[in-house]
Amino acid sequence: TVYLPCHLSERNLPMTTALPINDSDRLSLLRSAASSHNRDQAAGRPCLSPATVEALSPLTAEFEAAIAGIAQAQANHQQALAAGDSALTALQAQVRHTWNSVHWRVRWQGVAPAVLAYYHLRPRHTPTLQGRAAWLEMADRLLAGDAGAVVDGYASAVDAPALQSARTDLASALDAINAAAHSLHSARQNGRRLRSQVDRLARHLSGDLRHALRDASPTDQQQIMRTYGVRFRRASAEPALATPRALASAPVMGWQLQPEKIATEPLPVKQ
């Protein structure tokens, strides 16, 4: 439990601007900032710098498209995975049917146990496979092994058309999964790039508003900045060392938002 001095209750703790924490908040900030800028521009009291205004509309459109692109890529990936699971189930059924047929012939029809090797089997044992690629490879090995068994005088144990069809379907499904995964990765990379740009623009927007509203009352500052989508949080009561990154949202008392400090490093001293 943190106990605050009587003059520093939670209610009158200093406030600090907060960056958006998710894509919905980022998009809401961009839209609110554009709407409020248009309103204030029409009223002859613009608050944002030309550079911020110039970046606002294109970034909003690009970020909206990126969010939609991520959602679509995720949906495509899920659909590809579902199709892959279905194709895998069909192939597994064909492979297991082949194995069961061979075991049944050896046990009940007197076929020589040597035939098991063509199908990668051992008496009372079937391979344990993990992953779609392993089952796909086993299908290829069974088709090749069955052809070899036929050449050596054994009856075919494979429904070749059905196994080949299932094998082709799974191979196509794996290609679709890989393509969907690549698209999803690219969409997420683009999203991360744009999130960084939106957060940077949010800091510039906050700085523009602090400068434009520096003579306004604390209450007016808060109310106007909120219309631009800026959000606030109460600062911690515990003292902390300021860092260059923290200065971007340094807390101030009584809503009086002052221009940001500039973090500098000491110059090198000549020896």
Side-chain angles (χ1 to χ4, degrees):
T1 303
V2 178
Y3 295 94
L4 304 178
C6 60
H7 68 283
L8 191 61
S9 66
E10 182 178 357
R11 185 173 182 178
N12 60 19
L13 280 175
M15 304 296 291
T16 179
T17 57
L19 288 176
I21 60 174
N22 55 54
D23 289 345
S24 295
D25 288 348
R26 290 182 177 92
L27 192 55
S28 175
L29 181 144
L30 293 173
R31 289 171 174 168
S32 296
S35 175
S36 294
H37 166 72
N38 292 337
R39 178 200 64 216
D40 290 345
Q41 178 76 23
R45 50 172 188 272
C47 293
L48 302 182
S49 69
T52 300
V53 174
E54 182 181 1
L56 188 57
S57 180
L59 184 56
T60 301
E62 192 174 3
F63 192 58
E64 285 181 318
I67 294 175
I70 291 173
Q72 185 62 58
Q74 288 175 331
N76 293 341
H77 188 240
Q78 291 299 319
Q79 291 175 356
L81 289 174
D85 290 342
S86 178
L88 175 61
T89 299
L91 181 63
Q92 287 173 333
Q94 291 298 322
V95 170
R96 288 172 175 146
H97 174 72
T98 298
W99 285 339
N100 291 336
S101 296
V102 175
H103 273 303
W104 187 84
R105 291 178 183 182
V106 170
R107 185 173 183 181
W108 300 107
Q109 291 188 331
V111 177
V115 74
L116 296 173
Y118 292 97
Y119 302 94
H120 305 279
L121 294 171
R122 290 182 293 171
R124 303 181 183 278
H125 175 78
T126 56
T128 300
L129 304 178
Q130 299 292 333
R132 301 179 186 90
W135 285 95
L136 188 65
E137 181 185 1
M138 180 55 70
D140 291 335
R141 294 165 71 181
L142 290 183
L143 288 167
D146 188 68
V150 171
V151 169
D152 290 341
Y154 295 98
S156 174
V158 170
D159 183 349
L163 181 57
Q164 183 62 57
S165 177
R167 184 253 177 238
T168 300
D169 289 346
L170 181 57
S172 297
L174 289 179
D175 289 341
I177 289 172
N178 291 335
H182 178 75
S183 297
L184 178 57
H185 176 71
S186 298
R188 285 173 172 169
Q189 277 191 320
N190 187 48
R192 285 192 290 269
R193 176 182 66 85
L194 290 175
R195 287 184 195 106
S196 177
Q197 293 185 19
V198 172
D199 290 347
R200 183 165 60 250
L201 183 62
R203 288 190 289 268
H204 281 279
L205 185 144
S206 179
D208 290 350
L209 292 173
R210 292 184 186 198
H211 179 77
L213 302 173
R214 61 191 181 278
D215 294 329
S217 68
T219 300
D220 287 344
Q221 289 182 36
Q222 174 193 1
Q223 291 177 346
I224 294 173
M225 291 183 74
R226 285 188 182 278
T227 67
Y228 278 79
V230 178
R231 297 190 178 188
F232 300 88
R233 61 179 175 82
R234 295 193 182 278
S236 171
E238 298 179 0
L241 295 177
T243 64
R245 183 177 179 86
L247 290 175
S249 57
V252 291
M253 294 298 295
W255 293 105
Q256 188 64 37
L257 301 175
Q258 302 296 336
E260 300 175 5
K261 298 180 181 179
I262 300 177
T264 60
E265 297 181 358
L267 296 175
V269 179
K270 295 184 178 180
Q271 301 293 335

